[in-house]
């Protein structure tokens, strides 16, 4: 019995040509092995220096604001997943195209892999936390990818050059088996290197949140009253579970900082420089307060707002100990990944505002995604100026001396949260039973408080909603109201009044430069 081997393709000149599927696979495996090698070396040295992440982070830094806002509006808290997925697809397509262009010679594929390495090296050097060692993964990745692609291409070309007869001779079989073996080994090595790289990236801390028990605050936090929400009517629960708390930041690779190795330095326009370790910080006076945080990228009616019980050290204590000098305007905070925020000194030294360096969240240590081991939390200010995660440096300075990350990109310098309200139920475009419909939602005006919420249907008379029990001026407040809807299509609107007497404006404004405004408006059908 004889076996039949496919006739290897040949060019018009008779030169061997790699079959299209194998050429595409070789290109894809070449770039995949480069990424896996880069991840593995970065995992051994410093996970954020992964070429894949370095390029992604540089893309974030260079992305125009309209595109960032489109991504947040479209993907919400999954914007980073969408970015990484999109990058993976683009790189895979580049590998396939490079492989198809290399059916006769490896030069196009080799050139693409080298170009990817150069791009990774440039991205690494432009990172705000760049160190010379960050270039090692950027060099290792293309070196491995180049080698894998070249060896595999040579084997596939040898297979294509072998005699192509109806009854496969031994030479053709050996060439085929060698090419398939090399492809299998490369595929297995790529998968193993990628898995090890991911494993190393996730195991680089000397203490993780599950092993750190936050101490108790004295006095204990206020009890959340039973009537603090209308969850039975469809609003969120008053406290947001940690795994549901919104996350918007610039970190593609969540920094993994060990509690034992962490410290924060307070310096600049101060009388005394202060440096604190994690144990020193947690041994100080602690406060535990419910605080609603809101992202400036939250559109009217958006869900980028959450509430948690934060435990931390009052920032006013730390800044008083350091002694803020006259003329200081901002605290310029830096994360371990180089991200920066600028927070008004007046907000951090306000004894009536519970600004803190937080170490706990809802009775547990901070989750890694929300800044473990320490982050800044300042009630009443949008997160981009008040919520520096993984904080490690605080410089007391002036506004002009150090513009922060988002200020350099056109956002406002100071960012008080605007009075807002939204309809949580019914959902927009929902069909509801005709008659009396309970409309419920959420309103917030952090560090001012909500005193009134009004609802109307079809542009008619405003009616006051029932407010949930107020927990504090730094938290959101739920509301509900029965509305009579005849059969047909209807428009529902909501507006809020804060404790200062300010009535939420109807004027629509985009999130840039200092937060969205307008009345949340939805359409429903009563049937």
């Amino acid at each position: 019995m004889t076996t039949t081997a496919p006739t290897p393709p040949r060019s018009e000149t008779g030169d061997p040509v790699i079959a299209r599927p194998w050429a595409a696979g070789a290109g894809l495996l070449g770039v995949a092995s480069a990424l896996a090698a880069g991840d593995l070396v970065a995992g051994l040295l410093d996970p954020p220096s992964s070429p894949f992440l370095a390029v992604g982070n540089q893309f974030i830094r260079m992305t125009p604001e309209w595109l960032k806002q489109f991504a947040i509006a479209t993907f919400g808290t999954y914007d980073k997943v969408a970015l990484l997925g999109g990058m993976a697809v683009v790189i895979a397509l580049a590998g396939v195209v490079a492989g198809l262009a290399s059916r006769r010679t490896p030069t196009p594929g080799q050139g693409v892999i080298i170009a990817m390495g150069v791009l990774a090296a440039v991205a690494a050097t432009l990172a705000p936390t760049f160190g010379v060692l960050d270039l090692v993964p950027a060099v290792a990745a293309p070196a491995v990818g180049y080698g894998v692609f070249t060896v595999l291409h040579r084997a596939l070309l040898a297979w294509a050059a072998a005699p192509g007869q109806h009854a496969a001779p031994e030479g053709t079989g050996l060439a085929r088996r060698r090419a398939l073996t090399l492809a299998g080994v490369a595929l297995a090595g790529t998968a193993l290197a990628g898995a090890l790289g991911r494993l190393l990236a996730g195991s680089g801390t000397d203490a993780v949140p599950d092993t750190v028990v936050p101490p108790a605050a004295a006095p204990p936090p206020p009890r959340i009253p039973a009537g603090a929400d209308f969850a039975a009517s469809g609003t969120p629960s008053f406290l947001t579970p940690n795994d549901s708390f919104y996350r918007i930041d610039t970190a593609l690779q969540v920094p993994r900082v060990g509690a034992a190795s962490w410290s924060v330095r307070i310096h600049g326009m101060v009388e005394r420089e202060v440096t604190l370790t994690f144990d020193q910080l947690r041994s100080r006076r602690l406060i535990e307060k419910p605080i609603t945080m809101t992202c400036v990228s939250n559109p009217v009616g958006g869900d980028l707002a959450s509430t948690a019980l934060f435990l931390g050290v009052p920032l006013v204590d730390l800044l008083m100990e350091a002694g803020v000098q006259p003329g200081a305007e901002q605290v310029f905070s830096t994360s371990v990944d180089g991200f920066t925020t600028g927070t008004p000194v007046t907000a951090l030294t306000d004894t009536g505002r519970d600004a803190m360096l937080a170490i706990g969240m809802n009775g547990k240590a901070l989750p890694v995604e929300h800044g473990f081991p320490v982050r800044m939390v300042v009630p009443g200010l949008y997160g981009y100026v008040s919520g520096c995660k993984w904080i490690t440096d605080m410089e007391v300075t002036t506004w002009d001396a150090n513009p922060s990350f988002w200020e350099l990109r056109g956002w406002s310098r100071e960012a008080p949260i605007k009075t807002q309200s939204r309809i949580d139920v019914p959902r927009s475009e929902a069909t509801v039973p005709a008659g009396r419909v309970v409309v419920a939602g959420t309103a917030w005006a952090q560090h001012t408080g909500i005193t009134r919420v009004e609802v109307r249907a079809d542009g008619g008379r405003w009616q006051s909603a029932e407010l949930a029990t107020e927990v504090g001026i730094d938290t959101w407040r739920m509301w509900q109201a029965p509305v009579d809807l005849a059969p047909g299509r209807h428009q529902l609107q909501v507006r809020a009044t804060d404790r200062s007497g300010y009535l939420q404006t109807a004027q629509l404004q985009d999130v840039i430069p200092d937060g969205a405004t307008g009345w949340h408006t939805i359409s429903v059908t009563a049937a």
Side-chain angles (χ1 to χ4, degrees), residues 124 153 191 282 314 316 325-326 410 489:
H153 186 278
R282 73 197 301 267
V316 64
Q325 294 177 351
R489 190 164 176 81

PDB file of all heavy atoms in Angstrom, residues 124 153 191 282 314 316 325-326 410 489:
ATOM      1  N   ALA A 124       9.254  51.063  24.923  1.00  0.00           N
ATOM      2  CA  ALA A 124       9.844  50.869  26.251  1.00  0.00           C
ATOM      3  C   ALA A 124      10.614  52.107  26.699  1.00  0.00           C
ATOM      4  O   ALA A 124      10.513  52.531  27.853  1.00  0.00           O
ATOM      5  CB  ALA A 124      10.758  49.649  26.243  1.00  0.00           C
ATOM      6  N   HIS A 153      10.796  28.416   8.454  1.00  0.00           N
ATOM      7  CA  HIS A 153      10.710  28.736   7.023  1.00  0.00           C
ATOM      8  C   HIS A 153      11.667  27.845   6.223  1.00  0.00           C
ATOM      9  O   HIS A 153      11.315  27.329   5.146  1.00  0.00           O
ATOM     10  CB  HIS A 153      11.052  30.211   6.803  1.00  0.00           C
ATOM     11  CG  HIS A 153      10.852  30.678   5.393  1.00  0.00           C
ATOM     12  ND1 HIS A 153      11.790  30.483   4.399  1.00  0.00           N
ATOM     13  CD2 HIS A 153       9.808  31.325   4.795  1.00  0.00           C
ATOM     14  CE1 HIS A 153      11.349  30.978   3.263  1.00  0.00           C
ATOM     15  NE2 HIS A 153      10.141  31.506   3.479  1.00  0.00           N
ATOM     16  N   ALA A 191       3.492  28.304  23.523  1.00  0.00           N
ATOM     17  CA  ALA A 191       2.420  28.215  24.520  1.00  0.00           C
ATOM     18  C   ALA A 191       2.990  28.149  25.928  1.00  0.00           C
ATOM     19  O   ALA A 191       2.486  28.806  26.852  1.00  0.00           O
ATOM     20  CB  ALA A 191       1.557  26.987  24.239  1.00  0.00           C
ATOM     21  N   ARG A 282      -0.296  51.885  58.294  1.00  0.00           N
ATOM     22  CA  ARG A 282      -1.467  51.219  58.880  1.00  0.00           C
ATOM     23  C   ARG A 282      -1.492  51.309  60.402  1.00  0.00           C
ATOM     24  O   ARG A 282      -2.518  51.021  61.027  1.00  0.00           O
ATOM     25  CB  ARG A 282      -1.540  49.761  58.411  1.00  0.00           C
ATOM     26  CG  ARG A 282      -0.522  48.846  59.021  1.00  0.00           C
ATOM     27  CD  ARG A 282      -0.373  47.551  58.228  1.00  0.00           C
ATOM     28  NE  ARG A 282      -1.611  46.807  58.123  1.00  0.00           N
ATOM     29  CZ  ARG A 282      -1.986  45.836  58.967  1.00  0.00           C
ATOM     30  NH1 ARG A 282      -1.201  45.538  59.998  1.00  0.00           N
ATOM     31  NH2 ARG A 282      -3.102  45.186  58.801  1.00  0.00           N
ATOM     32  N   PRO A 314      -6.023  59.695  57.312  1.00  0.00           N
ATOM     33  CA  PRO A 314      -6.393  61.038  56.833  1.00  0.00           C
ATOM     34  C   PRO A 314      -5.187  61.762  56.244  1.00  0.00           C
ATOM     35  O   PRO A 314      -4.134  61.865  56.878  1.00  0.00           O
ATOM     36  CB  PRO A 314      -6.906  61.737  58.099  1.00  0.00           C
ATOM     37  CG  PRO A 314      -7.284  60.632  59.032  1.00  0.00           C
ATOM     38  CD  PRO A 314      -6.332  59.514  58.748  1.00  0.00           C
ATOM     39  N   VAL A 316      -4.912  64.865  55.776  1.00  0.00           N
ATOM     40  CA  VAL A 316      -4.636  66.099  56.505  1.00  0.00           C
ATOM     41  C   VAL A 316      -3.603  65.855  57.601  1.00  0.00           C
ATOM     42  O   VAL A 316      -2.745  66.718  57.869  1.00  0.00           O
ATOM     43  CB  VAL A 316      -5.941  66.699  57.088  1.00  0.00           C
ATOM     44  CG1 VAL A 316      -6.567  65.788  58.127  1.00  0.00           C
ATOM     45  CG2 VAL A 316      -5.684  68.092  57.658  1.00  0.00           C
ATOM     46  N   GLN A 325       4.170  74.308  52.923  1.00  0.00           N
ATOM     47  CA  GLN A 325       4.673  75.678  52.865  1.00  0.00           C
ATOM     48  C   GLN A 325       3.681  76.596  52.139  1.00  0.00           C
ATOM     49  O   GLN A 325       2.887  76.150  51.299  1.00  0.00           O
ATOM     50  CB  GLN A 325       6.019  75.705  52.134  1.00  0.00           C
ATOM     51  CG  GLN A 325       7.128  74.967  52.874  1.00  0.00           C
ATOM     52  CD  GLN A 325       8.428  74.952  52.074  1.00  0.00           C
ATOM     53  OE1 GLN A 325       8.458  75.339  50.910  1.00  0.00           O
ATOM     54  NE2 GLN A 325       9.500  74.487  52.719  1.00  0.00           N
ATOM     55  N   PRO A 326       3.708  77.898  52.462  1.00  0.00           N
ATOM     56  CA  PRO A 326       2.845  78.861  51.761  1.00  0.00           C
ATOM     57  C   PRO A 326       3.129  78.838  50.258  1.00  0.00           C
ATOM     58  O   PRO A 326       4.270  78.678  49.832  1.00  0.00           O
ATOM     59  CB  PRO A 326       3.242  80.202  52.386  1.00  0.00           C
ATOM     60  CG  PRO A 326       3.827  79.845  53.722  1.00  0.00           C
ATOM     61  CD  PRO A 326       4.507  78.527  53.536  1.00  0.00           C
ATOM     62  N   GLY A 410      -5.541  68.027  28.136  1.00  0.00           N
ATOM     63  CA  GLY A 410      -6.647  68.947  27.910  1.00  0.00           C
ATOM     64  C   GLY A 410      -7.759  68.919  28.934  1.00  0.00           C
ATOM     65  O   GLY A 410      -8.755  69.631  28.774  1.00  0.00           O
ATOM     66  N   ARG A 489     -45.671  55.280  23.542  1.00  0.00           N
ATOM     67  CA  ARG A 489     -44.260  55.578  23.769  1.00  0.00           C
ATOM     68  C   ARG A 489     -44.124  56.843  24.609  1.00  0.00           C
ATOM     69  O   ARG A 489     -44.861  57.821  24.405  1.00  0.00           O
ATOM     70  CB  ARG A 489     -43.555  55.767  22.431  1.00  0.00           C
ATOM     71  CG  ARG A 489     -42.035  55.836  22.528  1.00  0.00           C
ATOM     72  CD  ARG A 489     -41.408  55.626  21.159  1.00  0.00           C
ATOM     73  NE  ARG A 489     -39.955  55.773  21.191  1.00  0.00           N
ATOM     74  CZ  ARG A 489     -39.113  54.818  21.585  1.00  0.00           C
ATOM     75  NH1 ARG A 489     -39.589  53.640  21.968  1.00  0.00           N
ATOM     76  NH2 ARG A 489     -37.810  55.020  21.576  1.00  0.00           N
TER      77      ARG A 489
END
